[in-house]
Amino acid sequence: MVQEVIAALVGALISVVVLVAGDRLRPAAWRQSSDEASGALALDVIKTFFTAVVAFIVVICWQQYQNAHNHTVTEAKGLVETYWAAHGMAEPDRDRVQGLVRDYTEQVVGPEWNTMSRNGRLSPAAQSMLDTLRDTVSQQHPVDQAGTDARSAAQAALVKVADARSDRGVDAAQGVPGFLYVALIFGTVLLLFSPVLSGNRVTWRSTLMTALLGVVIASALLQIHNFERPFSHTISVPRDAFEFALARYRHIG
C-alpha cells in the first residue's frame, strides 16, 4: 500500500510541475481567459489512446499470468502422479523415486521460486534433480507386471512434468513486449502535457484535476509493473500447487 501511495504522490507532483512550468514557458497567445480546455477533441483522442494501450497490456499480462498458473498446476499434478505411481514399485525403487520427487518439489517451492522471482529464469539445480529422477525411473528393471505398469505410469507422468517445466521457464522470462512499452510511454507523455497544450490556466481547479490525472496515470503504471512478470513483483503466481503436492506426498506416504 505504501508503494501505491508514493507512486500516486510522485505522479501528482510531476503532473503539477509540468503544468506550472508549461504555463511559464508557453507563448501568451496560447493562454485562454478561462481554464476550460480548448482542445477537447485532441484530449479525448489522447485519453482514448492511453486507455486502449493500458487495457491491451493488462489483457496480455493477465493471459501470461493465467498460462503460468496453469503450467504450475499441470507440473504439480504430474509430480503427484509420479509419487503415486512409485507407490506401486518394489523396494528400494519406491523409496528412492518418492524421495527424489519430494526433493525436486521442495527445490521448486524454495530456491527455484526465488530464482524465478529475482532473475526470471529456472534453477539449473532443480533441472538436474529432475533429470536424475527421470534417469532413475527409466533405469529400473521390474520383475513383475505390477512393477512394469508402475514404471510406465511414472514415466508418462514425468513427461508431463518436463513439458510443464519447460513452459514454466518460458513464462518466467516473459514480459510486456517492447513496442507496447514505447506506446505506453508515448501515451503517458501526451496525457501529462495535454493540459499545457490545451491552454489551461493554472488555477486551484486545474491544479487539482491535473494532480488527480497524475494519480490515475501513476497507479496504472505501477499496477502494470507489478503485473508484468508472472513470477515476479507484487502480483505473482502462488506456490499453492506445489505446496498441495507436498501435502499429498505426506498423505500417500
Side-chain angles (χ1 to χ4, degrees):
M1 191 61 188
V2 175
Q3 190 180 25
E4 280 78 0
V5 172
I6 293 175
L9 292 176
V10 170
L13 179 62
I14 293 176
S15 299
V16 172
V17 169
V18 170
L19 174 65
V20 175
D23 182 66
R24 299 292 186 271
L25 298 176
R26 66 187 175 189
W30 289 11
R31 300 181 180 178
Q32 298 181 352
S33 58
S34 66
D35 60 351
E36 296 294 333
S38 59
L41 179 60
L43 182 58
D44 288 341
V45 172
I46 293 173
K47 290 188 294 185
T48 302
F49 174 79
F50 179 81
T51 303
V53 172
V54 169
F56 194 55
I57 292 178
V58 169
V59 170
I60 290 178
C61 291
W62 177 251
Q63 289 177 340
Q64 291 177 349
Y65 178 92
Q66 286 290 91
N67 290 338
H69 184 264
N70 292 338
H71 294 152
T72 61
V73 171
T74 301
E75 184 177 358
K77 286 182 177 179
L79 290 171
V80 173
E81 292 174 8
T82 304
Y83 196 91
W84 179 257
H87 196 62
M89 297 177 181
E91 296 290 358
D93 292 334
R94 177 174 62 189
D95 287 344
R96 187 178 182 190
V97 171
Q98 289 183 336
L100 288 172
V101 172
R102 190 184 306 107
D103 291 343
Y104 171 75
T105 308
E106 292 173 348
Q107 178 74 16
V108 171
V109 171
E112 182 168 62
W113 211 270
N114 296 330
T115 300
M116 288 192 300
S117 178
R118 292 193 306 266
N119 305 324
R121 60 180 178 82
L122 300 182
S123 167
Q127 182 62 59
S128 178
M129 294 179 69
L130 180 60
D131 293 340
T132 301
L133 172 59
R134 299 185 71 180
D135 288 340
T136 300
V137 173
S138 63
Q139 291 171 2
Q140 290 181 7
H141 299 286
V143 296
D144 55 13
Q145 186 61 41
T148 301
D149 293 341
R151 186 187 64 176
S152 299
Q155 287 178 320
L158 286 174
V159 170
K160 182 191 300 185
V161 171
D163 291 342
R165 176 180 173 80
S166 298
D167 293 333
R168 179 162 59 87
V170 175
D171 297 331
Q174 279 186 335
V176 177
F179 75 93
L180 283 180
Y181 261 126
V182 173
L184 183 63
I185 294 173
F186 180 70
T188 301
V189 171
L190 288 179
L191 203 56
L192 287 175
F193 278 90
S194 59
V196 177
L197 300 177
S198 299
N200 287 0
R201 293 186 299 118
V202 179
T203 64
W204 282 109
R205 178 188 174 190
S206 62
T207 301
L208 177 60
M209 296 305 296
T210 303
L212 291 176
L213 175 64
V215 169
V216 172
I217 293 175
S219 299
L221 295 180
L222 177 62
Q223 295 310 315
I224 288 175
H225 170 73
N226 289 337
F227 203 33
E228 177 190 5
R229 294 187 180 275
F231 297 101
S232 304
H233 307 308
T234 304
I235 305 174
S236 60
V237 176
R239 317 178 194 197
D240 53 358
F242 293 100
E243 292 172 347
F244 176 78
L246 289 173
R248 287 286 295 137
Y249 302 160
R250 291 190 290 270
H251 178 74
I252 295 172

